[in-house]
Amino acid sequence: MIQSIRSRLGLKLLISYLAVIFLVVVILVSATQISLPGAFDRHLGGMALKGQFGQPGMMMGPAGRAQGMMADLYRGFRDSFNEALALSVLAASIAAVGVSLFFSRRIVAPLQAMTRASQRIAEGHYDERVHAPGNDELSQLAAHFNQMTERLAQTETMRRQLIGDVSHELRTPLTVIKGMMEGLIDGVLPGAPETYEQIAKEADRLGRLVDDLQELSRVEAGAFQLRLQPVLLQNVIKSLEKRLSAQFAAKNIAFVSSIPADLPAIYADEDRLMQVLMNLLGNAMQYTPAGGRVEVTAWLHARQVAICVADTGVGIAPEHLPHIFTRFYRADPSRSRQSGGGSGIGLTVARHLVEAQGGQIEAASDGPGRGSRFTVYLPAASAL
Ligand code: ADP
């Protein structure tokens, strides 16, 4: 019995309300019984003494008769008072029990709904929502519960999409490798170096994809450490230039940078900033034909440092621009593949890294064939 009361909030609330009602009734009855004789004496006794009670002649008799009458009067008064008190206590208690039932139901009903909803969610029904009107703590709890369910539903959709995307991405190189191996076994394809090279290229692509996926899952889960400190962009660009100049030269693409000497330091993680810029420069190199130009500029923009990587390459059509930070999205998958590039993960990773450092990244292009501009905004160390 006690166990069942303990495990039911509605019952506990009701019992606590009943306890309050009981206490109020006990205090009310005791207080009236204690104060009643005194009050009677003060009000009715005083009236009698002043001769205001009943027939004036009645009070003129012997003192004993008058006292007897007063005692009778008091008993009569007390009985009628107690009767009225019992009736009002009964009426008030019934009303209080009704109100207590109503309020305990109102408190318990949304909690029960949330319990049912959480059980359904645990079974995978992410469309479950709870309804708790008003603006009190319970409605806020219900609103947060619904928000949490919404996030769970989104995560679940993303998980399904990710599995679908990953299987699709893995299937393509695997199909090529399998087809070529079968061709070799059947003797349809010559065992020439080019055939093996092609197989090795697809295997490389698979390896890169797995690395990218690993990095993506790490940044999406936020499983990386940031060492935020003032970083001088000039030094970062110099070191990137050193690493990439040979590749730019080999592709006959001009690489220029113009960073103002008085640009404030950036408050960022140097390695992660390097990784983001490396990705943007790698893309610029990949999507810019020979004879083109890639330029890095920077300026102070409302307490942030803006870093822009602009190229004169193939550009991005307006319909693709809003999606290019979405994982696995490629504006032109065939071009991406031919150029040995990517899985459409690089910009997603870059966006996560920039946002984790308190910044934003955006892309712009005047359209196909008219180049692209990627701008990263990060907090200026001086603004902190
Ligand atoms: P990928 O590895 O395919 O390059 P990213 O996430 O780095 O993946 O880029 C996503 C897509 O954005 C690319 O497939 C490409 O279509 C487009 N893109 C990225 N950078 C550029 C650029 N500098 N010029 C033109 N298109 C670009």
Side-chain angles (χ1 to χ4, degrees):
M1 165 80 172
I2 290 181
Q3 194 58 36
S4 109
I5 291 175
R6 275 202 187 134
S7 62
R8 296 186 62 184
L9 180 64
L11 216 55
K12 273 202 245 177
L13 276 175
L14 189 61
I15 288 174
S16 63
Y17 287 143
L18 293 181
V20 173
I21 296 167
F22 178 72
L23 197 69
V24 168
V25 167
V26 167
I27 292 173
L28 188 70
V29 170
S30 321
T32 50
Q33 295 311 307
I34 292 169
S35 60
L36 194 61
F40 177 83
D41 273 353
R42 266 199 314 283
H43 297 286
L44 289 178
M47 277 167 66
L49 283 175
K50 282 181 201 154
Q52 291 167 356
F53 178 73
Q55 299 289 322
M58 282 171 72
M59 292 291 113
M60 297 303 136
R65 251 185 67 203
Q67 266 188 357
M69 280 191 71
M70 281 300 287
D72 283 348
L73 185 63
Y74 173 69
R75 266 194 300 279
F77 171 75
R78 190 192 57 199
D79 291 347
S80 41
F81 177 83
N82 282 349
E83 197 180 308
L85 181 66
L87 269 174
S88 6
V89 163
L90 188 71
S93 302
I94 293 172
V97 169
V99 171
S100 317
L101 265 173
F102 173 75
F103 279 114
S104 43
R105 287 238 171 96
R106 275 202 69 149
I107 293 175
V108 172
L111 292 176
Q112 283 174 335
M114 269 182 256
T115 311
R116 280 194 300 273
S118 59
Q119 274 165 354
R120 298 253 314 146
I121 290 164
E123 287 160 13
H125 303 281
Y126 294 102
D127 50 349
E128 205 59 43
R129 297 288 178 276
V130 256
H131 180 63
N135 196 26
D136 57 9
E137 282 86 347
L138 270 175
S139 337
Q140 285 166 14
L141 177 64
H144 288 165
F145 181 89
N146 288 341
Q147 266 173 19
M148 184 193 74
T149 315
E150 190 90 31
R151 294 283 294 267
L152 278 175
Q154 279 170 6
T155 312
E156 178 61 13
T157 314
M158 273 169 64
R159 191 183 66 85
R160 288 210 186 119
Q161 235 169 33
L162 179 66
I163 293 176
D165 289 343
V166 170
S167 341
H168 176 80
E169 291 297 321
L170 291 176
R171 193 174 299 122
T172 317
L174 275 176
T175 311
V176 176
I177 294 175
K178 190 163 171 271
M180 293 190 118
M181 295 303 275
E182 279 171 1
L184 279 171
I185 292 166
D186 296 345
V188 183
L189 272 179
E194 300 83 65
T195 313
Y196 296 117
E197 255 170 37
Q198 188 64 30
I199 293 172
K201 224 163 106 182
E202 292 300 329
D204 272 353
R205 192 198 297 284
L206 267 180
R208 267 203 312 275
L209 181 62
V210 171
D211 290 346
D212 283 355
L213 281 172
Q214 219 170 14
E215 180 68 1
L216 178 71
S217 84
R218 232 191 358 236
V219 295
E220 281 197 336
F224 58 94
Q225 294 254 313
L226 284 177
R227 277 185 38 242
L228 298 175
Q229 57 188 14
V231 176
L232 281 177
L233 185 64
Q234 290 87 341
N235 296 348
V236 174
I237 298 294
K238 247 186 233 144
S239 116
L240 284 170
E241 253 176 322
K242 225 186 252 170
R243 282 201 222 173
L244 295 172
S245 58
Q247 289 177 51
F248 273 113
K251 274 202 80 177
N252 190 22
I253 297 171
F255 178 46
V256 281
S257 66
S258 57
I259 313 292
D262 60 349
L263 189 78
I266 304 167
Y267 194 66
D269 179 310
E270 187 162 353
D271 292 341
R272 296 304 182 174
L273 174 61
M274 194 92 100
Q275 186 179 349
V276 169
L277 293 177
M278 189 78 165
N279 183 274
L280 296 182
L281 288 170
N283 277 350
M285 193 191 302
Q286 187 180 337
Y287 297 107
T288 302
R293 175 186 158 95
V294 172
E295 183 171 8
V296 184
T297 48
W299 64 95
L300 190 63
H301 174 89
R303 300 159 76 93
Q304 285 186 312
V305 171
I307 313 161
C308 178
V309 176
D311 63 56
T312 57
V314 299
I316 303 165
E319 67 268 25
H320 294 306
L321 266 179
H323 307 291
I324 56 168
F325 292 101
T326 308
R327 61 176 177 224
F328 300 114
Y329 191 86
R330 285 171 301 221
D332 184 352
S334 59
R335 185 195 295 274
S336 248
R337 265 208 184 94
Q338 278 161 21
S339 49
S343 39
I345 289 175
L347 285 179
T348 315
V349 170
R351 194 194 64 198
H352 276 288
L353 292 179
V354 169
E355 286 176 358
Q357 295 176 78
Q360 308 91 41
I361 182 168
E362 53 188 45
S365 169
D366 295 333
R370 305 180 65 180
S372 316
R373 291 182 306 282
F374 287 84
T375 314
V376 173
Y377 298 91
L378 284 169
S382 56
L384 294 169

